[in-house]
Amino acid sequence: MNELIYGYMDWPRIEAVVYGEETSPRDVMGPKITRDGLLIQGFFPGADEVSVICGKDVYPCEKEDEAGYFAAILPLHKIPPYLFQVKQGE
C-alpha cells in the first residue's frame, strides 16, 4: 500500500463502493488533481494487476484494498483521456 495514495483516498466512501452502498461511485472513483499529481482510482474485484494507460504511457496501480480497489498517482496536473488495463488470472 502506498502511503501517499492512501492519504488522498476517501476510505469511508470507498468502503461504501466495495459493499455496494455508495450512491455516487463516480464521484468517489473519478480522477482527482492533487498537489502530488493526478489520482486515478478503480474498483476491480478479482483483478491481479491494474494499470492506467494514457497515450503511450502505462502507469501501474497499487492494490489499496484486498476487495480489489486500485489506485495510482500519475505525474500529471490535468486530466487526459485514459483507459484501465486489467489483468485477471492468466
Side-chain angles (χ1 to χ4, degrees):
M1 185 177 319
N2 182 309
E3 295 289 325
L4 179 64
I5 295 172
Y6 187 89
Y8 282 115
M9 297 175 77
D10 184 347
W11 285 103
R13 290 188 76 192
I14 289 168
E15 291 209 6
V17 169
V18 169
Y19 293 109
E21 299 168 351
E22 175 59 48
T23 58
S24 300
R26 288 184 184 195
D27 292 345
V28 179
M29 294 187 289
K32 294 176 181 53
I33 297 170
T34 73
R35 68 176 172 262
D36 294 299
L38 179 63
L39 175 64
I40 304 286
Q41 307 172 80
F43 182 49
F44 302 99
D48 296 317
E49 295 177 25
V50 175
S51 298
V52 177
I53 301 172
C54 291
K56 294 182 181 183
D57 296 318
V58 179
Y59 302 95
C61 292
E62 300 234 3
K63 191 172 191 177
E64 297 294 329
D65 181 273
E66 288 304 312
Y69 207 86
F70 289 81
I73 291 190
L74 285 52
L76 305 171
H77 294 286
K78 63 179 186 175
I79 301 171
Y82 65 91
L83 298 169
F84 285 105
Q85 177 179 9
V86 180
K87 294 183 182 177
Q88 183 175 4
E90 304 215 15

